[in-house]
């Protein structure tokens, strides 16, 4: 095929997906930015941004979002790496574990939130079990407005349960692309398991690690359904603020400003990861 | 002192494939042992069990009087050159060679000294700061060798280290490797399916077939006295000629009949009840004559291949074919008759059923 003229065929093949992206992603995004930089009268202004930054809830939403990310990403990453290594060790049943690990991937965000809500609520499984074991004599209210630490903990737990496997899948795919000889060379040349992970596996897995981190961080900035399901109004994150401004205050301009702000944070974190974990051509196999 | 002793080593894959089957082998301290055999005969598997990368179903491995069967690779005092090199792409040449030393917490100054020494030995000095992707195949191969020898291991394992190089590079590197390993004085096991490599490098060669060692000896022993028909036809280029003959007795002498001609056979063959026997003879141990001569076998020339240093003649005796190495001035013509005189003490006798050499000395 090389050197042969392909004519219009590749463009025709790209056209449907380009059209889809243009209509459903690019156009709404431009529109949203338009909204964010206009006031109610339809004039260009920074008013909605000022409203957003001045909003009493803004700081709280930003801090909660960042706290979630700072706790979630490392926890999920370590878990996902461990799971991926188990799968890649090709022990007996590793195919079975892969399916078990992947189950949460098939569950929607809201459903996942509700599952964990059912566990943590006043009459939930956790309380029933603790009471059954005689550890508690009356239900403990975990999901309590007065107890944001518990709320954050529950959200972290639910999110980790729900979205660790997506990181794992990316890491497994990356691991399977590394010939086993490299791991064996590490064994022969005296690396312990931990040294093998740190000196050989992680560096060779860098492209996958980078993709997984970027993807997971972007998704974490958008966390919404799990937070709503578990914490209701007790915990607010950036995307729930966008939703609140849109549905409660009917102010699509400020809501769009929140959305734009989330997008900018995503871009910044992506650039940060690209810069912190550069994938250099000459270091790839 | 690192003598390697393998006792009854067996590896079974998937509950049925006996990749290595009850191998007993003792490799002396500082010996260069070559494992030679056709593809799939279990060479790599045997080496991996010595390295600890594969666990034998039966048998014990000991290195230097220490039973290492249950030890992981890093506690066996071995190092290995992988067939695929397995040079880490994310590390520079220096860091690759230093990898094993770092794992052993050797001091920085010592690492620098030893890595530079090893790089010098394999002529990689100017490339220490490069990444493997910036090296040629041959240079990467040297990195793999340097990474192994810098450890000064008790045992050096090499799995077809030259197989990914082109013919000329392979020839050069073979000689370099021989010099290098000679200086190192470590016990070495070298896997190859290239018999020329095996002959040129090994102190001893263990010829393997279907998971078993069929013969183990010095290159000359193996070449000269193959223990089976398989070894004779696997070693040497061209392989040993085998002719099927019938044991005959006439007035007290034992002869082997080839069609309507006969070959004098040692009297020890008389012990065998009359029957068939395989005669083995190497191409260079047959004298070709253009005219009939006493005791020579009549044959017919089929193909003549001039190879520069000699002619390789394919001849037919009755309906059996054999190859003869003749001087370049031999007047060979396709379809012309010629007469063959095998050197009597170079004739080898094999059982046609089992392929085992018959003791005719
Ligand atoms: N991991 C494995 N699982 C199942 N069978 C295996 C495995 N490794 C090797 N075998 C089988 O064991 C036999 C010996 O393989 P091995 O790799 O030792 O051969 P080899 O002599 O090194 O061949 P080559 O010269 O082609 O490298 C082969 O039949 C191979 O198919
Ligand atoms: Mg092999």
């Amino acid at each position: 095929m090389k050197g042969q003229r392909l004519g219009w065929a590749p463009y025709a093949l790209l056209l449907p997906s380009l059209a889809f992206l243009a209509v459903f992603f690019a156009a709404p995004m431009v529109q949203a930015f338009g909204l964010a930089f206009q006031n109610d009268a339809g004039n260009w202004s920074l008013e909605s941004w000022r409203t957003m930054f001045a909003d009493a809830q803004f700081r709280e939403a930003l801090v909660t979002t960042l706290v979630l990310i700072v706790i979630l990403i490392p926890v999920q990453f370590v878990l996902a790496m461990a799971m991926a290594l188990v799968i890649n060790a090709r022990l007996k049943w590793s195919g079975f574990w892969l399916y078990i690990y992947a189950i949460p991937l098939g569950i929607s965000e809201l459903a996942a939130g509700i599952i964990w809500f059912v566990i943590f609520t006043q009459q939930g499984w956790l309380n029933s079990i603790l009471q059954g074991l005689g550890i508690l004599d009356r239900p403990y209210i975990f999901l309590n407005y007065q107890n944001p630490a518990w709320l954050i903990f529950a959200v972290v737990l639910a999110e980790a349960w729900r979205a660790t496997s997506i990181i794992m899948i990316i890491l497994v795919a990356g691991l399977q692309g590394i010939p086993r000889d490299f791991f064996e060379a590490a064994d022969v040349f005296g690396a312990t398991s931990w040294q093998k992970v740190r000196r050989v596996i992680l560096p060779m897995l860098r492209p996958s690690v980078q993709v997984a981190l970027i993807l997971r961080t972007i998704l974490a900035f958008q966390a919404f359904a799990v937070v709503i399901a578990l914490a209701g109004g007790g915990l607010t994150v950036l995307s729930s603020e966008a939703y609140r401004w849109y549905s409660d205050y009917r102010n699509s301009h400020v809501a769009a400003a929140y959305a734009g702000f989330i997008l900018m944070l995503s871009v910044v974190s992506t650039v940060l990861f690209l810069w912190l974990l550069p994938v250099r051509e000459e270091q790839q196999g | 002192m690192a003598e390697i002793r393998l006792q009854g080593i067996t590896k079974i894959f998937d509950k049925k494939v006996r990749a290595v089957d009850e191998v007993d082998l003792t490799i002396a301290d500082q010996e260069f042992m070559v494992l030679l055999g056709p593809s799939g005969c279990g060479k790599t598997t045997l080496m991996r069990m010595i390295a600890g990368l594969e666990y034998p179903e039966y048998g014990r491995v000991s290195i230097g009087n220490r039973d290492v069967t249950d030890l992981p690779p890093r506690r066996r005092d071995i190092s290995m050159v992988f067939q695929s090199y397995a040079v880490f792409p994310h590390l520079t040449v220096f860091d690759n060679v230093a990898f094993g030393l770092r794992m052993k917490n050797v001091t920085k100054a010592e690492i620098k000294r030893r890595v530079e020494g090893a790089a010098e030995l394999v002529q990689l000095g100017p490339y220490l700061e490069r990444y493997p992707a910036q090296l040629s195949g041959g240079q990467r191969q040297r990195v793999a060798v340097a990474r192994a020898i810098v450890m000064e291991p008790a045992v050096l394992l090499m799995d077809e280290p030259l197989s990914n190089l082109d013919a000329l590079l392979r020839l050069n590197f073979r000689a370099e490797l021989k010099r290098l390993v000679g200086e190192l004085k470590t016990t070495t096991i070298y896997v190859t399916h290239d018999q020329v490599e095996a002959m040129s490098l090994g102190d001893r060669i263990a010829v393997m077939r279907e998971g078993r060692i069929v013969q183990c000896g010095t290159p000359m022993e193996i070449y000269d006295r193959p223990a089976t028909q398989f070894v004779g036809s696997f070693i040497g280029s061209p392989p040993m000629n085998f002719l099927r003959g019938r044991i005959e007795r006439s007035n007290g002498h034992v002869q082997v009949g080839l069609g309507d001609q006969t070959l004098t056979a040692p009297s020890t063959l008389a012990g065998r009840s009359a029957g068939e026997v395989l005669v083995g003879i190497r191409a260079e141990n047959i004298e070709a004559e253009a005219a009939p001569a006493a005791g020579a076998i009549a044959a017919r020339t089929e193909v003549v291949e001039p190879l520069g240093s000699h002619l390789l003649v394919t001849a037919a005796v009755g309906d059996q074919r054999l190859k003869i190495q003749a001087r370049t001035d031999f007047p060979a013509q396709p379809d012309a008759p010629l007469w063959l005189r095998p050197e009597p003490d170079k004739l080898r006798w094999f059982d046609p059923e089992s392929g085992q050499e018959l003791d005719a000395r």
Side-chain angles (χ1 to χ4, degrees), chain A residues 48-82:
Chain A
S48 34
W49 292 85
R50 279 195 289 271
T51 314
M52 177 178 79
F53 289 129
D55 183 15
Q57 301 274 39
F58 172 77
R59 235 184 100 86
E60 198 192 321
L62 179 60
V63 168
T64 310
T65 307
L66 292 180
V67 166
L68 277 178
I69 286 175
V70 166
I71 302 176
L72 256 176
I73 305 293
V75 166
Q76 286 199 316
F77 203 78
V78 170
L79 282 176
M81 193 67 212

Side-chain angles (χ1 to χ4, degrees), chain B residues 39-40 42-45 83 159-160 191 193:
Chain B
S39 191
K43 309 179 292 291
T44 297
T45 307
Q83 183 170 356
D159 190 358
E160 310 209 23
V191 163
H193 60 247

Side-chain angles (χ1 to χ4, degrees), chain B residues 4-179:
Chain B
I4 302 171
R5 194 187 295 271
L6 308 177
Q7 288 166 299
I9 292 291
T10 300
K11 179 73 207 176
I12 305 172
F13 285 117
D14 306 327
K15 296 206 170 94
K16 51 187 190 296
V17 186
R18 292 180 91 89
V20 171
D21 198 2
E22 291 191 29
V23 164
D24 295 300
L25 185 63
T26 302
I27 300 157
D29 183 38
Q30 301 189 14
E31 189 175 23
F32 195 126
M33 173 65 82
V34 176
L35 301 178
L36 174 69
S39 191
C41 69
K43 309 179 292 291
T44 297
T45 307
L46 183 56
M47 173 173 275
R48 288 169 58 84
M49 286 190 286
I50 299 170
L53 294 170
E54 210 82 67
Y55 190 84
E57 261 70 36
Y58 304 104
R60 311 299 299 175
V61 179
S62 51
I63 296 177
N65 289 326
R66 189 166 62 116
D67 188 324
V68 298
T69 317
D70 297 309
L71 296 182
R74 68 193 159 88
R75 313 233 336 250
R76 292 188 178 201
D77 198 8
I78 50 150
S79 62
M80 185 161 171
V81 178
F82 288 78
Q83 183 170 356
S84 60
Y85 310 158
V87 169
F88 300 118
H90 61 287
L91 299 178
T92 60
V93 171
F94 185 97
D95 291 335
N96 259 291
V97 178
F99 187 89
L101 298 175
R102 294 218 167 105
M103 298 299 122
K104 284 168 84 177
N105 295 322
V106 177
T107 62
K108 252 195 160 128
E110 170 87 354
I111 288 178
K112 188 167 153 57
R113 190 180 63 75
R114 278 166 71 174
V115 169
E116 282 170 358
E120 211 50 56
L121 275 182
V122 297
Q123 295 156 22
L124 272 176
Y127 304 106
L128 283 173
E129 295 314 314
R130 291 215 197 167
Y131 285 98
Q134 300 164 322
L135 298 178
S136 73
Q139 291 167 334
R140 255 179 262 183
Q141 207 279 336
R142 288 160 208 245
V143 178
V145 171
R147 180 175 66 176
I149 61 176
V150 79
M151 303 299 293
E152 295 166 11
V155 175
L156 179 60
L157 304 171
M158 295 192 256
D159 190 358
E160 310 209 23
L162 305 186
S163 64
N164 288 339
L165 303 182
D166 68 48
L168 190 62
L169 213 52
R170 188 190 284 203
L171 203 66
N172 290 336
F173 211 84
R174 194 170 76 203
E176 278 182 45
L177 208 58
K178 186 161 185 167
R179 168 184 62 82

